[in-house]
Amino acid sequence: MEQYTASNGVIIHEQDGHVSLRSKEGGVRVLVVGSDSFGTALKEYVNHVREEAICQRADEVQAKRDHELGRWRWLDSPYVVYAEDANTVTVVHEGAPDMHRIRRGESYLSDELEQFFRAGAAYFDAHPEPKPWHAAKPGEVWAIRIANTDREAAYRLVRFNDQAFFESTVEPTVQVSVNHTALASARRIWPEDAS
């Protein structure tokens, strides 16, 4: 029986030709069964870890490049999405010279366009339509209605640690994030609109 502890804390254990990995948390995973030697199994493990690290690094580089180019990638597919505005995107198939413009809420007209529309819909799901209160400024007072209620209440916008919250004008300990899904509607009541 041989045992080796890797620098990441994983224990590589060999007994009777079976090599297993044991994580710091105690999980066990069989890596190699019937390997010629512990050294061979260790090399296989190192190669496996190296390949995973290379793939992870490639994904990180791809994500950074996508962000720089203003594009969004749909899953592990060849479809990338470029936002034109909050309600319109262009979906590009990277492997073919094909692209389609998709508008929020639009459905596909033919089976051949289904994947383009699914990519566009996935983008819109990940990037909900901006609500008027997302542009609220500190100090403004908004009448807010919470989902499943009929009553509005006055809240003042405050910022704390780069986060925007609506704070109750009646009870300042009650706060709601401007991005909370429970916000059904809101309208600015102060300062009044000059128009």
Side-chain angles (χ1 to χ4, degrees):
M1 176 175 87
E2 292 187 49
Q3 187 168 302
Y4 169 78
T5 303
S7 61
N8 63 359
V10 171
I11 298 169
I12 303 170
H13 178 82
E14 185 272 333
Q15 184 173 5
D16 300 326
H18 299 291
V19 177
S20 61
L21 301 178
R22 191 174 317 127
S23 68
K24 291 180 273 189
E25 294 79 28
V28 176
R29 177 172 71 128
V30 174
L31 179 66
V32 178
V33 177
S35 179
D36 292 340
S37 71
F38 183 68
T40 302
L42 186 57
K43 284 180 187 175
E44 289 177 17
Y45 170 70
V46 168
N47 287 336
H48 170 74
V49 169
R50 183 179 299 125
E51 287 172 14
E52 280 187 348
I54 290 170
C55 289
Q56 182 178 355
R57 178 69 181 136
D59 288 347
E60 290 169 2
V61 168
Q62 182 70 62
K64 181 179 179 187
R65 187 70 179 137
D66 286 345
H67 181 73
E68 289 170 354
L69 294 173
R71 64 185 178 200
W72 181 83
R73 194 166 292 277
W74 184 45
L75 303 171
D76 289 330
S77 76
Y79 296 92
V80 292
V81 180
Y82 295 87
E84 294 180 25
D85 58 43
N87 295 306
T88 309
V89 296
T90 298
V91 179
V92 178
H93 185 292
E94 285 188 313
D98 206 1
M99 69 175 114
H100 293 279
R101 178 177 280 157
I102 313 288
R103 288 181 183 77
R104 188 182 296 272
E106 204 172 37
S107 58
Y108 61 95
L109 305 171
S110 68
D111 289 342
E112 107 184 17
L113 298 178
E114 179 181 4
Q115 293 303 313
F116 288 94
F117 279 87
R118 289 183 64 211
Y123 173 86
F124 290 128
D125 286 347
H127 301 85
E129 189 172 6
K131 304 292 184 190
W133 56 86
H134 291 156
K137 294 177 180 57
E140 291 180 345
V141 178
W142 288 67
I144 293 177
R145 185 179 65 79
I146 304 296
N148 301 321
T149 66
D150 294 329
R151 191 173 62 89
E152 288 183 326
Y155 284 79
R156 174 181 38 256
L157 186 87
V158 296
R159 286 201 167 273
F160 182 73
N161 288 341
D162 293 328
Q163 298 291 319
F165 294 91
F166 284 115
E167 178 180 80
S168 171
T169 57
V170 177
E171 193 172 332
T173 59
V174 176
Q175 295 181 335
V176 180
S177 168
V178 295
N179 297 315
H180 199 290
T181 56
L183 291 178
S185 64
R187 59 186 175 83
R188 190 177 73 190
I189 55 177
W190 188 87
E192 291 183 29
D193 201 355
S195 55

